[in-house]
Amino acid sequence: MKPLTTILFCLPLATATDYFFSFTSGNAITNSQRLRFNNSIPISSPGASAAPHNPADHFSRIYVNGSAPLTQATLYVVPTNPHPPPVPGYYALSGQEKVPDAWRLIQSYRPQDFAPGEFRFDDWTLKDAGGNRTLLRYGTDDLGEWRWIAVREVSNLGVERWVPWWVKPTEGNLGNLTNWEYVVVELELVVAKGPVNSLAPGGILE
Ligand SMILES: *[C@@H]1O[C@H](CO)[C@@H](O)[C@H](O)[C@H]1NC(C)=O
Ligand SMILES: *[C@@H]1O[C@H](CO)[C@@H](O)[C@H](O)[C@H]1NC(C)=O
Ligand SMILES: *[C@@H]1O[C@H](CO)[C@@H](O)[C@H](O)[C@H]1NC(C)=O
Ligand SMILES: *[C@@H]1O[C@H](CO)[C@@H](O)[C@H](O)[C@H]1NC(C)=O
């Protein structure tokens, strides 16, 4: 049996932490890429795109009141540009696109714009996967049926990016999944080690 002191030192500390999203695996564009927000694309999902990156597209920065392991967490948007609205922003799962058992990761300062049940934001799980890896999950998924995929989308100006969806493959979404270009990924939270700097490339001084 371990001495008591060792066990006590292993207890998680209740500290608030800033994180970034990061894809792992998938393809060459998604693997090990921290997700960026692109203000010029109307659908407000963080995503990964191929280099070269626009320095004005900041990494999507997250504030969590706690650190992994954590359940029923809320992921707040950390503004990296001046003059954010005077209300909190959330990273949430949006059901607005009405694909059964498929939720798009978005950021929003306006939960009130969503129909009831189409803005899920307060049941995130930060799963400690060992080796300093923190995996992101939503809700209870006892059977392990849900997964992250990165879906390819192209903006009106022809810019390609890959954005996260939380999906459970079912008959209801088979048609959509078949039509989408996507890769299976893991979505991790990586600790932000530098302070916000709205002028620095990616919005972080690191
Ligand atoms: C963000 O979108 C704009 C307009 O579509 C594009 O010019 C820019 O390159 C995009 N940045 C990235 C990293 O995709
Ligand atoms: C963080 O959580 C603690 C404990 O639940 C709470 O007392 C505190 O007010 C929270 N702080 C913020 C900024 O949400
Ligand atoms: C986890 O992070 C700590 C602090 O940065 C480091 O000392 C340790 O080596 C890391 N462990 C692994 C398995 O990467
Ligand atoms: C999902 O599939 C339906 C039926 O084919 C289609 O109408 C809808 O536009 C698709 N949604 C998305 C987001 O691809």
Side-chain angles (χ1 to χ4, degrees):
M1 203 179 127
K2 284 182 180 175
L4 186 58
T5 46
T6 314
I7 294 168
L8 287 176
F9 280 125
C10 291
L11 284 176
L13 298 172
T15 49
T17 313
D18 271 18
Y19 292 98
F20 296 115
F21 298 105
S22 175
F23 282 138
T24 34
S25 73
N27 59 31
I29 296 175
T30 59
N31 187 28
S32 298
Q33 276 296 316
R34 281 183 292 180
L35 274 52
R36 294 167 196 267
F37 191 65
N38 189 327
N39 270 317
S40 44
I41 289 180
I43 301 169
S44 312
S45 289
S49 52
H53 295 112
N54 182 341
D57 287 341
H58 291 176
F59 295 116
S60 293
R61 190 170 180 128
I62 306 150
Y63 167 82
V64 183
N65 188 7
S67 54
L70 194 66
T71 55
Q72 297 188 314
T74 298
L75 272 48
Y76 295 94
V77 177
V78 177
T80 59
N81 277 306
H83 309 303
V87 291
Y90 305 95
Y91 294 102
L93 291 177
S94 163
Q96 241 175 12
E97 298 195 46
K98 307 204 189 299
V99 180
D101 296 308
W103 299 78
R104 174 196 271 271
L105 179 76
I106 54 145
Q107 79 163 55
S108 179
Y109 288 89
R110 297 184 54 84
Q112 66 270 28
D113 290 352
F114 291 76
E118 290 190 353
F119 189 83
R120 302 165 79 200
F121 72 100
D122 59 0
D123 199 11
W124 292 105
T125 295
L126 275 58
K127 187 175 159 189
D128 186 350
N132 293 334
R133 290 182 73 202
T134 300
L135 307 182
L136 189 62
R137 299 281 180 264
Y138 198 88
T140 42
D141 177 24
D142 293 336
L143 299 177
E145 296 171 299
W146 291 79
R147 70 196 57 164
W148 288 105
I149 61 173
V151 180
R152 180 176 182 268
E153 60 183 31
V154 180
S155 79
N156 293 341
L157 296 174
V159 179
E160 173 199 32
R161 56 207 300 274
W162 296 75
V163 302
W165 285 69
W166 180 237
V167 300
K168 179 172 83 167
T170 56
E171 264 182 42
N173 58 35
L174 183 65
N176 290 101
L177 289 179
T178 306
N179 280 329
W180 291 349
E181 193 176 339
Y182 73 90
V183 285
V184 175
V185 290
E186 193 47 271
L187 189 58
E188 306 198 12
L189 295 189
V190 295
V191 174
K193 297 211 172 92
V196 171
N197 181 327
S198 54
L199 298 178
I204 179 174
L205 205 62
E206 58 184 3

